[in-house]
Amino acid sequence: QKGGYEHYMRKEIHEQPTALRQTLGSRVDVNAGTASLDVDFPKGYLESLEEIQLLAMGTSYYAGQYAATLFESLAGVRATPVMASEYTYTGGRDPWRTLSVAVTQSGETADTLGALREAGAAGARTLGVTNTLGSSVTREADDALFIRAGPEIGVAATKTFASQVSTLALLAIAIGRERGELSAAEARSHLEDLTGLPGAIQQVLDEEARIRETAHEYADSDAFFFVGREYGHPVALEGALKLKEISYDHAEGFAAGELKHGPLALVTDQTPVLAVLTEGSRPQETLNNVAEVQARGAPTIGVTSDDVAASSLTETFDVPDAGIFEPLVANVYFQLFAYHVANAKGRSIDKPRNLAKSVTVE
Ligand code: F6R
């Protein structure tokens, strides 16, 4: 069942290239610069759209945060990620021009379903983005969009994060084209980056031995901090969530710029800082923040891409070219890092203490 892997989590991390091929598969026509998504919005709906709300929890929330920036920059629509448990539909917006998107792997998360119902009751159009055919979200939302990642058994979400972001990226591209916000050439370039993801992620997976060694070296640290900007910010938050849930270590993610507004007080030579320094994460500005933690003696582990000069870091890991999706590729290093820290400590990786795969109570 685990296909020779010791844990489902590691198997599912390694399944990401296949999962993404399924996610993107028949939906992308790179040459034409189009993405088709088997969702029929009413005529004129996308042109008149004023706001997209991304309602989700946990890893799906971070996918929603990544997607919100994609919707704003590729589709020109104001987009906000909302922690579903905190959602209330406030007035001052035209419900017809609001698309409320529930992002949920299981399709059963009570907080997310609650927010979706509230949005629907206020008159917003609702869309469920899920991995699970026939789940509650598919019955309750006006439309459903499947991420097609295949079953995920490990409690910690891994391959579904990449498939969620990619599915939402296709939606952002489709909306951007429909609204005339994105030229065919721009769409083509993003679609090329997306279709290159399975290969790019495979290259990261091929580096597993080195990230494992680094994970073992730092496994006994006091705490771990993850930082990033722009698309690197949700990935930093997701990296910290993964590490805390399976290793039980203290891990936190920050916007890199946030460090000197408080968290820097936590930084010592016993707190490694993992930074996203790829395209799509404003690497030069983030490097300035990394220099601040280096000055406090923190070991620094950076995920970089080609043109980022990060030679002063303690360790660097490269990702292949993937444009604004490079942070999504960087995330795979963070998944492997979390896995190997937890494995070195003999944790119950597929079923961490106190956690359930699908949280059906509010
Ligand atoms: C983290 C994790 C959880 C889920 C969250 C939402 O690894 O698995 O944070 O992401 O409970 O679950 P879904 O996506 O099923 O709504």
Side-chain angles (χ1 to χ4, degrees):
Q1 248 177 340
K2 291 186 209 155
Y5 291 95
E6 194 184 339
H7 297 102
Y8 282 110
M9 183 184 179
R10 181 157 173 266
K11 174 173 182 267
E12 288 159 2
I13 291 172
H14 279 261
E15 280 172 354
Q16 287 176 105
T18 309
L20 281 172
R21 282 187 195 100
Q22 291 165 188
T23 301
L24 301 167
S26 51
R27 291 166 162 169
V28 175
D29 186 336
V30 176
N31 290 331
T34 55
S36 45
L37 283 161
D38 33 86
V39 178
D40 288 321
F41 292 104
K43 204 166 167 30
Y45 179 74
L46 293 177
E47 283 95 319
S48 68
L49 199 57
E50 282 177 358
E51 181 175 358
I52 297 176
Q53 304 179 323
L54 295 129
L55 317 176
M57 298 304 292
T59 294
S60 297
Y61 173 80
Y62 301 135
Q65 187 184 338
Y66 204 122
T69 309
L70 290 170
F71 284 120
E72 296 208 336
S73 65
L74 309 188
V77 187
R78 182 170 72 233
T80 326
V82 188
M83 196 73 81
S85 59
E86 291 294 316
Y87 182 77
T88 40
Y89 192 94
T90 50
R93 47 168 64 86
D94 180 348
W96 167 254
R97 295 174 200 275
T98 305
L99 177 63
S100 298
V101 183
V103 186
T104 165
Q105 187 287 127
S106 61
E108 302 296 345
T109 299
D111 289 315
T112 306
L113 289 169
L116 183 83
R117 281 177 202 134
E118 187 168 341
R125 191 167 182 88
T126 57
L127 172 69
V129 175
T130 183
N131 198 31
T132 315
L133 294 169
S135 56
S136 300
V137 79
T138 64
R139 290 192 301 272
E140 297 205 17
D142 294 324
D143 294 290
L145 188 54
F146 293 99
I147 66 167
R148 302 180 180 168
E152 188 176 67
I153 302 195
V155 163
T158 51
K159 62 177 178 173
T160 51
F161 178 76
S163 288
Q164 286 171 329
V165 172
S166 302
T167 304
L168 291 163
L170 293 181
L171 183 60
I173 291 168
I175 297 178
R177 292 292 292 134
E178 185 93 15
R179 290 164 68 96
E181 288 283 335
L182 201 64
S183 71
E186 288 166 324
R188 211 174 289 131
S189 152
H190 292 306
L191 290 169
E192 265 166 19
D193 289 335
L194 280 167
T195 52
L197 284 176
I201 288 178
Q202 189 56 54
Q203 286 188 47
V204 169
L205 295 170
D206 293 343
E207 289 287 301
E208 182 170 7
R210 205 160 71 80
I211 190 87
R212 174 175 180 273
E213 211 174 286
T214 304
H216 286 185
E217 187 175 339
Y218 293 105
D220 292 322
S221 302
D222 289 349
F224 301 82
F225 303 123
F226 292 73
V227 299
R229 288 172 184 259
E230 204 180 2
Y231 298 106
H233 180 217
V235 166
L237 301 177
E238 167 61 7
L241 175 63
K242 216 84 309 177
L243 184 57
K244 77 181 76 157
E245 68 181 329
I246 62 166
S247 75
Y248 316 153
D249 282 315
H250 177 211
E252 282 192 73
F254 301 111
E258 194 184 351
L259 277 176
K260 54 177 161 308
H261 299 279
L264 203 49
L266 297 169
V267 170
T268 69
D269 61 0
Q270 295 302 314
T271 61
V273 176
L274 292 89
V276 186
L277 297 163
T278 63
E279 192 173 327
S281 71
R282 305 205 328 243
Q284 295 309 329
E285 288 159 82
T286 306
L287 271 174
N288 295 339
N289 306 116
V290 168
E292 291 158 0
V293 303
Q294 281 178 309
R296 275 82 185 170
T300 50
I301 300 164
V303 181
T304 58
S305 52
D306 273 358
D307 40 0
V308 182
S311 55
S312 62
L313 272 67
T314 320
E315 294 268 2
T316 56
F317 293 88
D318 278 341
V319 298
D321 273 356
I324 55 174
F325 301 105
E326 286 179 13
L328 194 54
V329 182
N331 186 54
V332 178
Y333 278 117
F334 292 168
Q335 292 172 340
L336 290 169
F337 183 83
Y339 175 83
H340 286 294
V341 168
N343 203 27
K345 299 184 170 194
R347 303 297 192 217
S348 166
I349 290 184
D350 285 334
K351 285 193 194 330
R353 69 183 181 202
N354 311 337
L355 300 180
K357 181 71 182 158
S358 140
V359 184
T360 54
V361 288
E362 284 185 10

